Amino acid sequence: MTNPPGSTSEQLPDGILALLGPRTYLSTACETALLLTKAIARNPDRDDLPGVRDRMHARCRLNHKFTGALCSCPCHPQAD
């Protein structure tokens, strides 16, 4: 069974996370979407790329599977 976005079931214990130090998390899906944004600029004739980019952003886990860190992609509204 796949963990849904936001699931904390596989996160590491706080004591282990503290040893890792602060890190910025960018999900693979959002990283790929940002690369697709650059590809769109280089290939304006490819009408399919914006849809692929948007689907990649929609697939983001939102938080890192093991650390729980939130994805830092600008596509996500940040809670203040």
Side-chain angles (χ1 to χ4, degrees):
M1 183 167 136
T2 304
N3 288 322
S7 172
T8 59
S9 65
E10 296 188 44
Q11 288 181 8
L12 296 171
D14 288 339
I16 293 174
L17 291 175
L19 299 173
L20 301 178
R23 296 177 182 210
T24 300
Y25 167 61
L26 181 63
S27 75
T28 304
C30 283
E31 179 181 13
T32 303
L34 293 174
L35 291 171
L36 281 164
T37 298
K38 293 177 184 178
I40 290 167
R42 291 189 309 269
N43 302 278
D45 57 319
R46 292 287 306 264
D47 295 335
D48 58 329
L49 294 179
V52 175
R53 177 204 53 210
D54 295 345
R55 282 193 300 279
M56 292 306 299
H57 277 303
R59 290 187 57 170
C60 178
R61 284 188 62 84
L62 302 178
N63 65 338
H64 190 277
K65 183 175 184 177
F66 298 110
T67 66
L70 295 176
C71 181
S72 61
C73 184
C75 78
H76 304 297
Q78 300 297 318
D80 293 326

